[in-house]
Amino acid sequence: MRIYGNDRVIKAEWLKWLCTDPKASAKVTSRGIELAGARIQGKLDLAWVRIQFPLRTFRCAFANDIILDRAAVAGLQLQSTSIRNLNADNLTVERDVSFVDGFLAVGQVWLRYATIKGTLTCDGGHFINQGGIALNLEAAKTRSVFMRNGFEAQGEVNFYSAVISGTLECDGGHFVNPGEIALAWRASQAVRFFCRRISQRLER
Amino acid sequence: MRLVIKWEMRWNLSIFIGIAVCALMPGWKTAMAEMTPEGDLIALAKVRFGVPTPEESKAFEIFFRKIQEGEKADLTPELDAVTDPRDLKILIDPAYADLWE
């Protein structure tokens, strides 16, 4: 399929090298890694890596899983980007996390015990993992969480024991998990809570 | 006598040149480090991954150059000549990324 471009593939190992090799990392500016229109090939395993700069993608596709377990990153923005699984338990993010504007995860997005020092924005994001947990924020700590304007989860969104020091806003979001819990909220804390138009069952 | 003075002057000149070279050396070294391949992210990447294949060369160069420059590495192809809306969608929508390789 030459017409669609076979020169848009970025290897996951290139990204990993930029994040892990001291000489390479030193060449990355404070703007971090900003990538558009690329297909990222290969599993991106950044577990336990401390990344001093933000990771941002726009209209990209991750062909394989992203691993950020116990990693630390300055910021994470996946805009209009499609991914498979994102395993990011115990991830620490110094600023914001964004899964927005047509972001699509087909698989699980796990952020258990994650610490997000900014906001978690999922406006217009789609989290698809039917019959399982689509977005797992168990015991995560964050400021505000936004799941508005076309947000869709097919599968459970789990906030069990999560601590939100700002607002949880879900207006216009769709939580779909037929016959199962769509939004698990037990033992969580949030200063403010705005949620309407939730499909299926809401546990609170 | 004249010969001794000439020799001393030459000696002093040599010392002066030596001191000047030593003083300029650190700055010169830094400048050279920036100009040599070791100071360039693409060159470092080629040392690490080898020379990219013709297929991956364009993405390789754009990616590492733009990252070093602090800019967005945009691999979206030129869209001006695309007239078919279906082709346009395939080119920009990550849902069709399987066709991008």
Side-chain angles (χ1 to χ4, degrees), chain A residues 4-5 8 27 31 34 36 39, chain B residues 39 70 73 75 87 91 94 98 100:
Chain A
Y4 299 122
R8 305 172 67 178
K27 298 288 178 192
R31 296 178 63 88
E34 191 177 5
R39 174 185 162 90
Chain B
L75 299 175
D87 282 343
L91 284 169
D98 286 347
W100 294 358

Side-chain angles (χ1 to χ4, degrees), chain A residues 3-11 14-15 33-41 58-61, chain B residues 55-67 71-79 90-92 100-101:
Chain A
I3 64 161
Y4 299 122
N6 58 358
D7 46 14
R8 305 172 67 178
V9 176
I10 296 294
K11 289 184 176 178
W14 300 351
L15 283 166
I33 295 174
E34 191 177 5
L35 192 55
R39 174 185 162 90
I40 295 98
Q41 192 72 46
F58 176 68
R59 282 186 178 154
C60 288
Chain B
E55 289 78 26
E56 64 189 29
S57 178
K58 185 183 167 193
F60 186 93
E61 299 272 341
I62 291 174
F63 177 64
F64 289 114
R65 179 163 47 81
K66 290 293 184 182
I67 296 302
E71 294 178 11
K72 183 193 291 180
D74 193 345
L75 299 175
T76 309
E78 191 59 53
L79 301 173
I90 291 172
L91 284 169
I92 62 174
W100 294 358
E101 59 174 340

Side-chain angles (χ1 to χ4, degrees), chain B residues 3-54:
Chain B
L3 195 69
V4 171
I5 292 169
K6 211 172 183 181
W7 185 85
E8 276 185 353
M9 281 178 69
R10 192 174 287 178
W11 178 246
N12 288 341
L13 187 65
S14 300
I15 291 172
F16 174 75
I17 290 170
I19 291 169
V21 167
C22 287
L24 293 172
M25 190 67 87
W28 180 74
K29 270 186 176 174
T30 308
M32 286 305 290
E34 289 301 318
M35 289 166 65
T36 53
E38 280 185 9
D40 180 62
L41 192 54
I42 294 175
L44 279 174
K46 282 179 180 171
V47 170
R48 171 64 180 79
F49 300 108
V51 177
T53 63

